Amino acid sequence: MSRSRPPTAAGIGAVVLLLLVAVAIWWINRAESTAVPSDPVDSAQLDSLGVAPAGPMSGYSRDRFSHWAGTGDSCDTREIVLQRQGAQVQRDAECRAVSGKWTSPYDGVVMTKAADVDIDHVVPLAEAWRSGAARWTDEQRKQFANDLSNPQLFAVTAASNRSKGDKDAAEWKPPVKGYWCTYAKNYVTVKAHYKLTVDTKEREGLAEMLATC
């Protein structure tokens, strides 16, 4: 009668490696399935945006865009974004994320502390002001700053958020070039929804990123 040999260390290592690869694939697929969907964007939607020089910053203040508004159940917009875009997010009785994992789409960095996560406005508040929001009411600006329906709010690293600042699509692009297509689609979708204009260089920057789709 033949007797089976006990598994070797190499064999066990191979099985563990296969399991790790399977978990990684599952994790990537899960992140893609839970990400905020981007509305379909083509050149026609980019062409539909009004083209105009950037307006002045006179009168601008971030306080004119009241952000992280309460959404009920003790939650505010920031916490909703953290829960929506994170994995295995646990929150306390006050809706604050106390654990979880977030992958910044701009630079691919993984964060495990909510305090390290910034929430980015795809179309910056100041850019919105320069392209039409200066004429809005404060309530309209509040809606824009807390928009959970359009692809406007994303959990990202503080470094990428601060390097972007209030720069438009001509002045800043995500460090991960593979994300340019999605970023430009999101940007155009938000500008189109709010009927905001683009300047010439901004439009060229968007076209450059959309060309990677």
Side-chain angles (χ1 to χ4, degrees), residues 20 48 51 53 61 65-66 69 73 75 77 96 109 111 120 136 155 166 188-189 191 208 210-211:
L20 290 175
S48 73
V51 179
S61 169
F65 294 80
S66 178
D73 192 27
C75 294
T77 308
R96 294 173 300 194
V109 175
M111 299 161 286
D120 179 58
W136 295 351
D166 68 351
V188 172
T189 295
K191 283 234 163 178
E208 178 184 358
L210 288 173

Side-chain angles (χ1 to χ4, degrees), residues 151-169:
Q152 165 70 335
L153 299 174
F154 286 85
V156 301
T157 58
S160 63
N161 189 36
R162 291 164 196 178
S163 71
K164 174 182 174 180
D166 68 351
K167 299 180 181 72
D168 67 19

Side-chain angles (χ1 to χ4, degrees), residues 181-202:
C181 172
T182 300
Y183 180 77
K185 286 183 176 183
N186 293 343
Y187 193 106
V188 172
T189 295
V190 173
K191 283 234 163 178
H193 179 81
Y194 287 96
K195 296 180 173 57
L196 296 171
T197 60
V198 292
D199 62 38
T200 302
K201 289 186 177 180
E202 182 183 5

Side-chain angles (χ1 to χ4, degrees), residues 105-194:
Y106 293 169
D107 48 18
V109 175
V110 176
M111 299 161 286
T112 56
K113 293 182 180 179
D116 294 338
V117 181
D118 274 13
I119 306 301
D120 179 58
H121 292 90
V122 171
V123 175
L125 304 181
E127 168 55 28
W129 182 273
R130 292 189 292 262
S131 56
R135 298 186 295 272
W136 295 351
T137 65
D138 284 346
E139 184 59 34
Q140 288 173 312
R141 286 187 279 266
K142 179 180 179 180
Q143 178 184 350
F144 177 83
N146 296 277
D147 189 351
L148 292 168
S149 299
N150 289 289
Q152 165 70 335
L153 299 174
F154 286 85
V156 301
T157 58
S160 63
N161 189 36
R162 291 164 196 178
S163 71
K164 174 182 174 180
D166 68 351
K167 299 180 181 72
D168 67 19
E171 302 169 312
W172 187 89
K173 297 177 178 62
V176 175
K177 190 171 182 179
Y179 191 70
W180 281 14
C181 172
T182 300
Y183 180 77
K185 286 183 176 183
N186 293 343
Y187 193 106
V188 172
T189 295
V190 173
K191 283 234 163 178
H193 179 81
Y194 287 96

